[in-house]
Amino acid sequence: SVDRTISLDVFCPTSSGCDYIAKFSSAKEGNTIYIKAFGGTLTNSPCTMACVPIVAKFEFTPVTKGRYTLKFISGDNSIIEHHITVN
């Protein structure tokens, strides 16, 4: 509902156990939200070579009713869309 925070689990690929997500950056155009995750790789730290996805929380709070399109942009600029209807 309006003014209620929606939390989504976002699965981000990794190349090692030292990769991390630092933040999400988002830009809104009408009811479309473009989202990109930013992170890095820890240095001077023991790491596994396991490429296990990181689960990060993305949250947004709709201020009006309607249908929202969330466009998650990957590192190669491909897009995964998720649609949410707020009543």
Side-chain angles (χ1 to χ4, degrees), residues 13-21 39-42 47-48 50-52 54:
T14 65
S15 58
S16 79
C18 281
D19 291 351
Y20 64 92
I21 300 299
T41 303
L42 297 173
C47 300
T48 65
C51 299
V52 178
I54 296 171

Side-chain angles (χ1 to χ4, degrees), residues 5-37:
T5 300
I6 297 171
S7 180
L8 300 172
D9 287 336
V10 179
F11 290 79
C12 302
T14 65
S15 58
S16 79
C18 281
D19 291 351
Y20 64 92
I21 300 299
K23 67 176 184 170
F24 286 104
S25 175
S26 62
K28 188 175 177 191
E29 291 180 13
N31 280 7
T32 300
I33 303 169
Y34 296 88
I35 304 132
K36 195 162 192 172

Side-chain angles (χ1 to χ4, degrees), residues 9-85:
D9 287 336
V10 179
F11 290 79
C12 302
T14 65
S15 58
S16 79
C18 281
D19 291 351
Y20 64 92
I21 300 299
K23 67 176 184 170
F24 286 104
S25 175
S26 62
K28 188 175 177 191
E29 291 180 13
N31 280 7
T32 300
I33 303 169
Y34 296 88
I35 304 132
K36 195 162 192 172
F38 290 92
T41 303
L42 297 173
T43 57
N44 300 323
S45 187
C47 300
T48 65
M49 295 308 293
C51 299
V52 178
I54 296 171
V55 180
K57 292 230 182 273
F58 175 76
E59 295 182 333
F60 83 104
T61 306
V63 294
T64 58
K65 292 180 180 181
R67 181 177 164 104
Y68 289 83
T69 301
L70 281 61
K71 294 189 176 192
F72 293 90
I73 305 166
S74 71
D76 66 0
N77 288 322
S78 59
I79 294 175
I80 297 173
E81 287 190 18
H82 184 75
H83 302 278
I84 296 175
T85 301

